[in-house]
Amino acid sequence: MKTIRARLTVAYACVLGATLLVFAGVMLSASRTAAEGALQRRVDSVARLGARIIEQAGTGLYDRVIVAEQSRMAPPPLSASIVSRLGALPGYVIVADSSRLLYSSPEVALLVQADQDKLARAVVRVFSPAQSAGFVSLDTVRLMARVRFEQSGSRGSGLRVLSAESAAELDITKLEIFPPILFAFPLIFLLSIVAAWVLAGANLEPVDHLISDLEAIEDGRSLHRRLPVESQENELDRLAEKINAMIARLEGSFGALRRFTADASHELKTPLTVLRVDIERAMASSHASGDQLPALEEALAETSRMANLVDSLLTLARADEGRFDIDREPVDLLPLVQDVFETAEILGEGAGIEVRLIAIEPIVVHGDPVRLRQLFLNLLTNAIKYTPRGGTVTVALERRGEEVAFAVHDTGLGLAGADLPFIFDRFWRADRARARGTERGGFGLGLAIAQWIAQAHGGMINVASRLGRGSTFTVMLPAPPPVERRSLPSASAE
Ligand code: ADP
């Protein structure tokens, strides 16, 4: 749930879900109220009809309504014409006086006996002129009932006419509006969420573009590029404009820094060369006394170091400015690696390290032979520099699919895992190596240059290293597939 798109969609889903729930609740309750009103009106009108039938039958005289006196066992029968008219009324209809049941409709007879009794009791005991309507809960059904009280009869006894209908239709699930809500609302919910996801994505697309445009500028060499700005009204365009202004300022200071480094290195080159030649001349001169020689030797070594530093700085400054063109030509790596290996063997001999070439094959790449030699030699001199006396350095050149791998493995100091992300940074050196004194001391620029050369050839450098166990630096370069030698088809003799 980290992206803004996902968060917006979830927030929208929550708000929409809550709104739909409230809306569904309001609609269901309104529809239930309407259904209850309709049911009530139906029950009322049946009760009124029933009362009128009774009333009209005997001009209000109770005695003329009843044809025969009641027995204790069965309700006293009404005249056949009244029964048939009452029978035409729908639903549960009961006619009773204050103590006896005079008529019950066929629907009442369909109820279980316990429910029939309960309903008959309710007519007499539950309802009164003050409370003549309400729900009656029987064992098998819940009814909405209405009782009309008719003051009639010479005996002064009141007649009650009950009309009732099942209240099952008031159940939420039985309401007419329930199925549409049940199916339409989840569908609306899902479709809206999909729409919200799509809309959020579409609206955030410019942010994605902004990010990928910025990623392309990130590496410092693309500071001449700018983010596209379409209008002034859009917040993202205003942000892009601000970022553009910032990039412009960065470009200015980066450029000034690069120019300064390149110019300073360039200006230092000539005096250093002159200094070196002068020292060499002084050392060769017959006037140099024996106690002057060590000082001159040290001065020469420091001058060479400084000349190397200036050279590396100039290389990187020019590479940053894009002023260093790589001359591309087909390069056979076999003799080149052989040559680098021989140089490394000599260096290794001096440092008491065995240098071995464990694999080599003829592979042609498209590149700059001088830069490739510099790249391979950088890695090999590092391997020798950071491997103690008695260690081994192995070199291998082999094809791996569409690529060529030049691997240098050493049994030396190795690097801590935490240091690995920084080893290609300029002037970065592992602390313990720095502490080892000047004989191993470089400036921390060799790997930066090596990586630049590999990248300029469309390749990369992989490093695997463990502290105290040694390291493997592998240069991967793209290589065209080898030209297959086709053998001539041999004629088959019969
Ligand atoms: P330097 O001139 O200091 O060798 P590099 O850029 O070539 O500069 O290397 C940077 C740092 O990486 C070195 O100072 C060293 O600490 C570490 N390093 C490079 N190669 C190796 C290696 N083969 N084994 C151990 N550490 C290495």
Side-chain angles (χ1 to χ4, degrees):
M1 205 61 67
K2 283 191 181 142
T3 61
I4 296 183
R5 186 184 191 182
R7 272 190 272 161
L8 277 177
T9 310
V10 169
Y12 174 76
C14 290
V15 173
L16 180 70
T19 312
L20 284 178
L21 278 179
V22 171
F23 188 51
V26 170
M27 280 177 77
L28 285 171
S29 108
S31 144
R32 192 177 186 281
T33 310
E36 199 176 317
L39 183 61
Q40 197 137 32
R41 280 193 295 280
R42 276 205 316 272
V43 172
D44 264 359
S45 69
V46 172
R48 205 179 312 121
L49 271 176
R52 190 160 305 155
I53 291 168
I54 300 280
E55 193 186 322
Q56 286 170 356
T59 52
L61 291 177
Y62 181 30
D63 289 338
R64 293 178 63 182
V65 172
I66 300 168
V67 174
E69 197 45 67
Q70 84 283 5
S71 79
R72 278 196 183 275
M73 304 301 291
L78 301 182
S79 69
S81 80
I82 290 178
V83 168
S84 84
R85 287 175 69 193
L86 286 174
L89 296 178
Y92 303 90
V93 178
I94 288 179
V95 179
D97 66 8
S98 57
S99 56
R100 293 168 303 174
L101 192 66
L102 304 175
Y103 167 81
S104 59
S105 67
E107 211 153 323
V108 176
L110 291 176
L111 291 170
V112 294
Q113 192 55 51
D115 281 351
Q116 288 186 31
D117 294 346
K118 253 191 192 174
L119 191 58
R121 266 201 305 279
V123 178
V124 180
R125 300 209 190 125
V126 177
F127 293 102
S128 65
Q131 198 211 330
S132 61
F135 290 99
V136 180
S137 290
L138 304 180
D139 290 347
T140 55
V141 65
R142 190 161 172 264
L143 302 177
M144 172 174 267
R146 172 87 161 98
V147 178
R148 288 195 73 100
F149 292 83
E150 293 297 320
Q151 267 315 320
S152 59
S154 58
R155 295 177 194 173
S157 187
L159 268 187
R160 297 143 197 249
V161 180
L162 171 133
S163 154
E165 271 192 44
S166 165
E169 68 187 64
L170 300 182
D171 234 47
I172 292 275
T173 55
K174 300 277 170 40
L175 293 176
E176 243 174 50
I177 204 168
F178 185 76
I181 286 183
L182 186 67
F183 296 108
F185 277 32
L187 195 69
I188 291 171
F189 184 68
L190 285 180
L191 288 178
S192 304
I193 285 178
V194 172
W197 176 256
V198 172
L199 282 176
N203 278 293
L204 288 171
E205 209 173 321
V207 179
D208 280 341
H209 289 156
L210 200 70
I211 292 169
S212 46
D213 286 344
L214 268 176
E215 272 166 0
I217 299 175
E218 217 173 43
D219 71 354
R221 254 169 262 165
S222 316
L223 286 175
H224 58 281
R225 296 173 65 171
R226 293 290 177 274
L227 302 173
V229 181
E230 276 159 24
S231 74
Q232 289 290 321
E233 288 146 32
N234 188 317
E235 291 86 346
L236 284 177
D237 282 330
R238 286 200 337 254
L239 176 67
E241 211 175 52
K242 292 279 166 237
I243 295 175
N244 277 345
M246 209 171 72
I247 296 172
R249 281 201 298 280
L250 276 178
E251 188 189 17
S253 23
F254 265 77
L257 205 66
R258 273 191 213 127
R259 267 193 308 281
F260 171 77
T261 319
D263 293 349
S265 319
H266 188 72
E267 293 303 323
L268 281 171
K269 256 184 110 148
T270 319
L272 278 174
T273 316
V274 173
L275 199 63
R276 201 158 141 177
V277 171
D278 284 350
I279 297 172
E280 278 168 355
R281 206 177 291 149
M283 282 170 77
S285 136
S286 51
H287 299 297
S289 62
D291 52 340
Q292 280 174 332
L293 268 178
L296 285 171
E297 266 168 19
E298 205 184 317
L300 184 64
E302 284 307 314
T303 315
S304 303
R305 251 171 74 77
M306 224 183 309
N308 282 345
L309 170 64
V310 164
D311 233 36
S312 301
L313 282 176
L314 196 58
T315 305
L316 284 170
R318 284 188 177 158
D320 286 347
E321 284 188 326
R323 279 204 277 141
F324 234 116
D325 292 330
I326 294 272
D327 298 325
R328 286 178 186 277
E329 57 184 82
V331 184
D332 189 354
L333 291 183
L334 191 139
L336 192 129
V337 169
Q338 196 89 44
D339 179 52
V340 171
F341 165 67
E342 278 160 20
T343 312
E345 248 187 334
I346 298 166
L347 291 174
E349 235 171 74
I353 290 159
E354 187 192 353
V355 184
R356 280 193 279 155
L357 182 63
I358 55 166
I360 189 158
E361 50 184 295
I363 301 170
V364 176
V365 295
H366 216 67
D368 186 326
V370 178
R371 290 289 167 200
L372 287 174
R373 188 176 191 285
Q374 185 182 5
L375 162 62
F376 297 159
L377 204 59
N378 259 353
L379 298 184
L380 267 168
T381 45
N382 270 356
I384 293 167
K385 257 199 293 185
Y386 300 108
T387 301
R389 198 165 271 278
T392 313
V393 172
T394 51
V395 188
L397 173 74
E398 59 197 4
R399 177 180 284 281
R400 291 187 194 164
E402 303 263 288
E403 288 179 308
V404 52
F406 171 81
V408 178
H409 171 75
D410 65 61
T411 57
L413 303 177
L415 287 150
D419 285 343
L420 288 180
F422 309 108
I423 58 170
F424 294 107
D425 290 355
R426 293 170 193 190
F427 293 106
W428 185 89
R429 307 182 63 227
D431 278 341
R432 91 202 152 274
R434 197 174 304 184
R436 295 186 72 85
T438 46
E439 103 267 11
R440 283 199 174 121
F443 296 103
L445 291 175
L447 283 180
I449 293 176
Q451 195 189 39
W452 166 71
I453 297 173
Q455 284 173 351
H457 282 81
M460 61 198 280
I461 303 177
N462 295 327
V463 190
S465 189
R466 282 183 69 187
L467 200 57
R469 295 279 184 87
S471 322
T472 306
F473 285 74
T474 311
V475 181
M476 303 298 296
L477 296 173
V483 184
E484 292 202 5
R485 279 194 214 152
R486 280 205 238 137
S487 54
L488 288 173
S490 55
S492 57
E494 295 221 3

